[in-house]
Amino acid sequence: MKKSRLATVVGFSVFAFASTASAGPTQQGPSFLAPEHADGSDTLVLDLRDDLSEAERDALAAEIGVPLVDASPHVTDDGQVFLTHAGAAQRAAIQEKLRGDARVEAVEPLVAFDALFTPDDPRFAEQWHLSRVGAESAWNRATGTGVVVAVIDTGVACADDAGFTKGTDLQGTPCVAGWNFVTDDDKPWDDHGHGSHVAGTIAQTTNNGVGTAGLAFGATLMPVKVLAKNGSGSNAQVADGIRWAADHGAQVINLSLGGPFPSSVVGNAVKYAQKKGVLVVAAAGNSGRSVGYPAGFPASSRSVLRIATTALHGSRRGARGRDRGTGRSGASADGLQRRPRKIMASPHVAGAAALLISQGVTAPDAVKARLYDTARPKDDPKLFGAGILDAGAAVGRTAMLHDVVRALALAFLGIGLARWIHQKRGTFVKAGPWVGAALFGAAGLVPFVHALGLPGMAGPAARIVDLLGRPLGDMDLVSDVSFHKFALLALPLPTIAAFLFAFQAKSLRPIIGGLALGQAAYLVSMVLFREQAFFLGTTILTALASAGTVACLWIARVALDEKTA
């Protein structure tokens, strides 16, 4: 990489360093991203152990003879990524000294990560890429509601602020707070355009009569700026951005960026995000040749879902396209400028992942498995991997499996309970309010509405129908998927609460019994699918769901038993 370019990328602010021969403690220092300053070619990135104390960091700095400068001094929960500035000879000595040091998880040069350019077409009819991934059929069942997707890029045109304006076709797209790792502040607005292109592909406002459509238009964007105005940034910034997004509620992280060399610092950040239950999607590049990083990490690491671009007729390399729009005041790039780019592959997959997560497939491995299983196969797996994304098939299969399994479980458990009561009491359970409550617990007040394709319609009506079409255990997905990892509605807590506080009212017992029966059917599907993320892990969730099934069946038996009703 050219030295002058790295200077622009890194922009390592002028540090008031003492002599490199003298030791120095950890420094907070100014932001290291000021393009007019030192080239940073002799800068090292140190990813320290997360539990390392300040005193231990100071001791480490003293040992290597140079200060450690916090890569993002105003962010306290972004891991322990620090920078050092030293001459070439000293840099090599530091790397050798720290190799194998238990206090240091990774040490590597500061290198550039570049945006991978692709277009956004002006009208939906021309968005062949959305049709190709089955967007229309996917929208009949899911729109990504409740899912937060972090766009780690050049920023996103999410607000009218500080001379920037919100994108013309992002006006109806919600954004949560983000962070700017270039200027180290809370204004991650886009001064380049690439990040807003990416964001638009994922969640551009749709059905608003403006511009184009986004694949997961019901999702929420989290803007994280790690690339500067020239479209470049460093491994330190990218790593900090990934960790920040994982710590602040993102369910999906999109990385439409890359560098030519593997970065352990970025790799560690990706693993950190995965441990937090975040799916990381990374672009493989547009060249059709070698795969960049972080997408180039081995598939066996299971840490990154790597995505390549295909053209209109399915070739490996990207297609040419055009996008359009306007930027107000010259300071805001809203992803709608007219210029040739290539189709954005990674954000399509990030959008498809958001659709699946909004259906309750919240475990990253389960999302990846569903996307792999439903991908359209191609002749050469070396070029196409699992195949070509089919969001429509992925979402459709998920809806079908959920609806069918829960319906069968409800029928099996309901018939079995009725037979047991009949054999014991000689009477049949009378159909009544318990039927509606059972459907609510298993499939929603409007059962199987997702199979009918209603939630894809526009406006508030879609949100209402989407809510009514969900079982009790999935209702928290509509507002915020992050709540779903606690399974407060999925596990039988509501049913147990209803039993404890309302059982004395005989008129409510059929409703309690039906709710318990429906939730038991829902829990059976949880045990079978094992696709939900849980803050204590999948194994514990499966055990709790199994126990919950038994508890719900006992409550249903007691509540529906004619002798107690």
Side-chain angles (χ1 to χ4, degrees):
M1 179 176 294
K2 294 181 180 178
K3 194 172 183 179
S4 60
R5 184 179 180 189
L6 188 57
T8 306
V9 173
V10 179
F12 201 17
S13 296
V14 177
F15 295 123
F17 282 147
S19 166
T20 55
S22 63
T26 301
Q27 297 184 5
Q28 291 302 307
S31 169
F32 62 91
L33 289 168
E36 66 271 21
H37 294 309
D39 74 29
S41 58
D42 293 330
T43 301
L44 289 176
V45 182
L46 275 67
D47 188 3
L48 306 183
R49 205 175 66 232
D50 286 347
D51 62 349
L52 212 63
S53 68
E54 183 175 354
E56 290 173 313
R57 292 199 305 267
D58 290 345
L60 179 64
E63 290 177 24
I64 63 177
V66 292
L68 300 180
V69 180
D70 193 341
S72 303
H74 297 297
V75 179
T76 59
D77 54 355
D78 61 331
Q80 299 232 43
V81 178
F82 289 82
L83 305 174
T84 68
H85 189 62
Q90 189 179 16
R91 184 185 64 182
I94 291 173
Q95 285 186 273
E96 184 61 30
K97 183 180 180 65
L98 297 181
R99 190 168 288 116
D101 192 311
R103 297 166 296 179
V104 182
E105 294 183 353
V107 55
E108 63 192 32
L110 192 71
V111 297
F113 276 64
D114 299 319
L116 305 174
F117 291 96
T118 54
D120 187 11
D121 292 323
R123 294 177 297 275
F124 174 66
E126 298 174 11
Q127 289 182 284
W128 57 265
H129 42 95
L130 287 184
S131 296
R132 188 171 191 201
V133 301
E136 296 97 321
S137 60
W139 291 336
N140 284 337
R141 298 172 175 87
T143 60
T145 301
V147 182
V148 176
V149 181
V151 176
I152 298 182
D153 213 285
T154 62
V156 180
C158 270
D160 298 323
D161 179 48
F164 291 87
T165 57
K166 190 165 185 177
T168 54
D169 204 12
L170 291 174
Q171 292 293 326
T173 301
C175 295
V176 296
W179 193 262
N180 187 334
F181 287 90
V182 175
T183 55
D184 204 23
D185 57 36
D186 61 354
K187 300 183 184 300
W189 317 137
D190 193 356
D191 54 7
H192 177 278
H194 183 265
S196 295
H197 272 278
V198 169
T201 301
I202 296 169
Q204 191 155 293
T205 308
T206 302
N207 296 325
N208 64 338
V210 178
T212 52
L215 182 55
F217 60 82
T220 298
L221 296 173
M222 175 186 287
V224 180
K225 183 174 176 62
V226 300
L227 304 180
K229 188 175 183 178
N230 66 346
S232 293
S234 71
N235 48 342
Q237 294 161 288
V238 174
D240 277 348
I242 292 170
R243 288 175 178 268
W244 193 94
D247 286 339
H248 287 79
Q251 282 86 43
V252 182
I253 288 175
N254 185 83
L255 296 168
S256 291
L257 47 77
F261 304 108
S263 166
S264 297
V265 173
V266 173
N268 289 341
V270 169
K271 292 175 183 176
Y272 175 83
Q274 187 190 34
K275 288 179 181 178
K276 300 275 286 188
V278 182
L279 178 66
V280 180
V281 183
N286 292 322
S287 67
R289 297 184 288 276
S290 61
V291 177
Y293 294 88
F297 288 118
S300 59
S301 70
R302 302 171 65 198
S303 57
V304 177
L305 182 54
R306 72 173 101 178
I307 310 300
T309 299
T310 63
L312 175 59
H313 299 295
S315 62
R316 166 63 177 80
R317 299 183 65 178
R320 302 291 287 181
R322 295 196 306 178
D323 42 29
R324 92 174 155 79
T326 58
R328 303 173 190 165
S329 77
S332 175
D334 65 0
L336 298 174
Q337 238 178 326
R338 182 183 290 275
R339 52 191 167 194
R341 300 265 178 91
K342 294 178 183 177
I343 293 302
M344 292 183 167
S346 179
H348 281 77
V349 176
L355 296 178
L356 289 177
I357 292 172
S358 72
Q359 291 183 287
V361 186
T362 53
D365 285 346
V367 174
K368 285 187 276 188
R370 186 58 45 79
L371 292 175
Y372 289 154
D373 292 344
T374 55
R376 296 194 300 277
K378 296 295 291 184
D379 296 334
D380 190 347
K382 292 182 180 179
L383 288 179
F384 292 94
I388 296 177
L389 172 69
D390 193 334
V395 171
R397 181 175 298 182
T398 299
M400 180 194 70
L401 288 173
H402 286 179
D403 290 342
V404 171
V405 169
R406 289 167 186 170
L408 290 175
L410 181 59
F412 178 80
L413 295 177
I415 293 171
L417 181 61
R419 284 175 59 86
W420 185 89
I421 292 176
H422 179 262
Q423 290 173 357
K424 186 175 182 180
R425 304 296 181 196
T427 59
F428 287 100
V429 178
K430 297 179 180 178
W434 71 272
V435 175
L439 289 174
F440 171 59
L445 291 176
V446 183
F448 318 125
V449 69
H450 291 82
L452 301 176
L454 296 178
M457 60 188 178
R463 196 173 183 86
I464 294 173
V465 173
D466 189 12
L467 185 65
L468 296 178
R470 293 179 183 272
L472 174 63
D474 281 351
M475 282 197 166
D476 52 2
L477 291 169
V478 178
S479 59
D480 189 341
V481 169
S482 62
F483 294 141
H484 202 57
K485 67 181 179 182
F486 299 107
L488 296 178
L489 297 180
L491 292 174
L493 297 178
T495 299
I496 294 174
F499 178 75
L500 292 176
F501 294 105
F503 187 76
Q504 295 305 316
K506 289 189 176 182
S507 61
L508 295 179
R509 289 179 188 175
I511 296 177
I512 295 172
L515 179 63
L517 189 61
Q519 190 140 34
Y522 176 91
L523 291 169
V524 167
S525 73
M526 284 179 60
V527 173
L528 293 176
F529 294 136
R530 296 174 62 89
E531 63 187 15
Q532 181 174 330
F534 186 55
F535 77 110
L536 294 177
T538 303
T539 301
I540 293 179
L541 178 62
T542 302
L544 291 175
S546 300
T549 302
V550 175
C552 284
L553 288 176
W554 181 84
I555 291 173
R557 181 189 68 79
V558 172
L560 295 177
D561 191 330
E562 287 292 326
K563 192 172 182 179
T564 61

